[in-house]
Amino acid sequence: MTQEQEAGLEQKILETAEQLFLEKGFAMTSTTEIAKKAGCNQALVHYYFRTKENLFQSIFEQKIRLLISSFQDHEMQNLTFEEKLKRKIETHFEMIRANPRLPFLVMNEFTTNPSRLEAFRIKIIAVPQAVFHKLEEELNEEIRAGRIRDITVMDLVLNIVSLNAMLFLTGNIFKCVAQLSEEQYQMMIEHRKQEHVKVILASLRP
Amino acid sequence: MTQEQEAGLEQKILETAEQLFLEKGFAMTSTTEIAKKAGCNQALVHYYFRTKENLFQSIFEQKIRLLISSFQDHEMQNLTFEEKLKRKIETHFEMIRANPRLPFLVMNEFTTNPSRLEAFRIKIIAVPQAVFHKLEEELNEEIRAGRIRDITVMDLVLNIVSLNAMLFLTGNIFKCVAQLSEEQYQMMIEHRKQEHVKVILASLRP
DNA sequence: TTACAATTTAATAGCTCTATTAATAAACGC
DNA sequence: GCGTTTATTAATAGAGCTATTAAATTGTAA
């Protein structure tokens, strides 16, 4: 049916754990539940990953990389800065749309377990600088030319990430409170994508 | 020392629980821990509140009301729409700044426990409509006069809430990754407040 | 003082969770 | 086939958690 099916229990456990961690976070997911849903004995989870923390970290680290990479460049030299930025916003948006619970997981785990945050700091500190360096140069060039207002790359990225991530962080809340059908919800998501682009581009006008 | 001190253990338990729930969420906080930190026997927590869920809900409901009320009107008739909106953004910002873990708590509990969300839906569905109705009228008047672009009150509010809430949701992460001192962090917060006002106002220009 | 109510505690029942261990089944080289 | 890894399970130790109960302590009104 799906892409897994005949992949062995180790892989199955990994996939099940990923799904459950994304759904309910680390604390609310037990190895017992993972095993039951993966269709194996609970001890097998510990046989492959020794501890629940191990299992979580292998999933978590990979997901963090995915998150950061979504801001990577995508070869579009012949476009205006505005067009490039629009694409960047949309790419980031679509990455989160494809992993809608990821912002929740990151926030939840880094907030409830600050030691995890400290451990990851070294791993991820170098990445953003590399990713944002080119954007920064282009941004400064536009500012120098007077085509956009003065703004740091940090502020710009924070604005984009805030809008995009928050939409999916509050997605279920909004859907429930506003009593939206799945179809209405998807339309709203699509509409917000346009809105985010509008807001960011407008916020840069001199 | 602080404002409590001689308030009885029931109050003390309530305050301690609030602090711990905000810090670590519902699942990661035990009644045992609450009792120890409040300086009483664990059974006393259950004597006053019967269940952990009860204790949580009495805190949670009050906090949700606080969140919503921050968008309430504050009597400023003689100001331009732009000035009024600026004040609204800043009021909302300051409310979250005074309760910086509140966005995390709301998101965490509504996300990990959808049944809580359903239970709260009825209670909170009426409030936003009342709060946002006046804003909507003023907004539409500005649009009709051509002073701002066409936008729904929902989009406007989502933009504001996204920027303000997300700043504090990611506050600790950012502070740690960027290795900011407390002072630097506070400056950054202040700077972002101005940035949010800038972004929202700019995003409304026709 | 005494009776009675409110507060606080010690003890513990009953779960559930993580992790380990020892035993069993499957797979695989030789 | 035989021995040796590898995979899988049943059983359980050990800990922590929620909630209850019964007893002890404190407060209070007659």
Side-chain angles (χ1 to χ4, degrees):
Chain A
M1 216 70 78
T2 60
Q3 79 278 13
E4 350 133 358
Q5 207 69 345
E6 198 51 50
L9 281 175
E10 181 172 4
Q11 187 60 22
K12 180 85 192 194
I13 288 168
L14 213 52
E15 285 162 11
T16 308
E18 176 178 322
Q19 190 198 324
L20 288 174
F21 284 145
L22 283 167
E23 213 168 280
K24 329 197 301 172
F26 178 79
M28 300 269 298
T29 304
S30 70
T31 54
T32 310
E33 190 182 0
I34 294 169
K36 188 154 65 181
K37 197 160 187 177
C40 69
N41 189 284
Q42 179 259 351
L44 201 65
V45 177
H46 292 272
Y47 170 74
Y48 281 121
F49 302 95
R50 219 176 59 76
T51 66
K52 182 182 165 186
E53 180 70 25
N54 272 354
L55 174 56
F56 180 78
Q57 290 213 4
S58 49
I59 292 167
F60 194 55
E61 185 163 346
Q62 175 218 330
K63 289 291 167 186
I64 293 275
R65 290 188 193 288
L66 180 65
L67 250 188
I68 294 175
S69 72
S70 72
F71 252 97
Q72 221 111 38
D73 257 324
H74 286 306
E75 301 308 323
M76 33 187 183
Q77 295 300 359
N78 49 346
L79 298 177
T80 65
F81 177 75
E82 187 167 289
E83 255 304 314
K84 277 191 213 169
L85 189 56
K86 180 172 188 284
R87 301 259 177 114
K88 258 190 208 299
I89 299 166
E90 289 171 342
T91 303
H92 182 248
F93 187 99
E94 290 303 332
M95 195 286 287
I96 303 183
R97 195 219 286 254
N99 302 270
R101 321 262 327 185
L102 196 42
F104 162 71
L105 186 70
V106 171
M107 237 164 55
N108 193 29
E109 298 314 324
F110 276 151
T111 303
T112 57
N113 196 337
S115 67
R116 243 200 272 288
L117 180 52
E118 183 54 38
F120 263 87
R121 203 180 57 77
I122 291 97
K123 287 187 191 171
I124 58 180
I125 197 164
V127 184
Q129 288 174 2
V131 172
F132 298 142
H133 183 253
K134 199 174 159 209
L135 178 61
E136 185 164 25
E137 282 185 347
E138 292 174 335
L139 186 69
N140 289 337
E141 175 55 32
E142 293 296 302
I143 294 171
R144 227 175 291 121
R147 284 191 289 271
I148 64 175
R149 74 162 163 113
D150 194 29
I151 185 175
T152 65
V153 68
M154 191 194 86
D155 277 315
L156 175 59
V157 170
L158 281 182
N159 291 341
I160 296 171
V161 171
S162 294
L163 290 172
N164 285 351
M166 196 63 182
L167 175 62
F168 292 94
L169 278 171
T170 58
N172 280 342
I173 301 175
F174 196 88
K175 192 176 167 188
C176 173
V177 171
Q179 296 276 77
L180 301 182
S181 69
E182 183 57 33
E183 197 191 17
Q184 288 173 313
Y185 178 64
Q186 289 305 326
M187 279 184 57
M188 182 266 212
I189 295 286
E190 201 55 46
H191 167 76
R192 286 298 296 174
K193 182 172 154 188
Q194 303 308 116
E195 174 70 15
H196 293 179
V197 172
K198 259 190 235 172
V199 169
I200 296 297
L201 293 187
S203 81
L204 293 181
R205 285 184 292 180
Chain B
M1 217 69 77
T2 60
Q3 78 279 12
E4 349 134 358
Q5 205 70 343
E6 197 51 50
L9 280 175
E10 181 173 4
Q11 188 60 22
K12 179 84 192 191
I13 289 167
L14 213 53
E15 284 162 10
T16 308
E18 176 179 321
Q19 190 198 323
L20 288 173
F21 284 145
L22 282 167
E23 213 168 278
K24 327 197 301 171
F26 179 79
M28 299 269 297
T29 304
S30 69
T31 55
T32 309
E33 190 182 0
I34 294 169
K36 188 155 65 181
K37 196 160 189 179
C40 68
N41 189 286
Q42 179 258 351
L44 201 64
V45 177
H46 292 272
Y47 170 74
Y48 281 121
F49 301 96
R50 219 176 62 75
T51 66
K52 182 183 164 187
E53 180 70 24
N54 272 353
L55 174 57
F56 180 78
Q57 290 214 5
S58 50
I59 292 166
F60 194 56
E61 185 163 348
Q62 174 219 329
K63 289 291 168 187
I64 293 276
R65 289 188 193 289
L66 180 66
L67 250 188
I68 294 175
S69 73
S70 72
F71 252 98
Q72 220 111 38
D73 257 324
H74 286 305
E75 300 308 325
M76 34 187 183
Q77 295 302 357
N78 48 347
L79 298 177
T80 65
F81 177 75
E82 187 166 289
E83 255 305 315
K84 277 191 214 169
L85 189 56
K86 180 173 187 287
R87 301 260 176 114
K88 258 191 209 299
I89 298 167
E90 289 172 343
T91 303
H92 181 249
F93 187 99
E94 290 303 332
M95 194 288 287
I96 303 184
R97 194 220 287 254
N99 301 270
R101 320 272 312 196
L102 196 43
F104 161 70
L105 185 71
V106 171
M107 238 164 55
N108 192 28
E109 297 314 323
F110 277 152
T111 303
T112 56
N113 195 338
S115 68
R116 243 201 271 290
L117 179 53
E118 183 53 38
F120 264 86
R121 203 180 58 77
I122 291 96
K123 287 187 192 171
I124 58 180
I125 197 164
V127 184
Q129 287 175 2
V131 172
F132 297 141
H133 183 252
K134 200 173 160 209
L135 177 61
E136 185 163 25
E137 282 184 346
E138 292 174 334
L139 187 69
N140 288 337
E141 176 53 33
E142 294 295 302
I143 295 170
R144 226 174 292 122
R147 285 191 290 271
I148 64 175
R149 74 162 162 113
D150 193 29
I151 185 176
T152 65
V153 68
M154 191 194 86
D155 277 315
L156 175 58
V157 170
L158 281 182
N159 292 340
I160 296 171
V161 171
S162 293
L163 290 173
N164 286 349
M166 196 64 183
L167 176 60
F168 293 94
L169 278 172
T170 58
N172 280 341
I173 301 175
F174 196 87
K175 191 176 166 187
C176 174
V177 171
Q179 294 278 75
L180 301 182
S181 68
E182 182 57 32
E183 196 190 16
Q184 288 173 313
Y185 179 63
Q186 289 305 326
M187 278 184 57
M188 183 266 213
I189 295 285
E190 201 55 46
H191 167 77
R192 286 298 296 173
K193 182 172 152 187
Q194 304 307 117
E195 174 70 15
H196 293 178
V197 173
K198 259 190 236 171
V199 169
I200 296 296
L201 294 186
S203 80
L204 292 180
R205 285 185 292 181

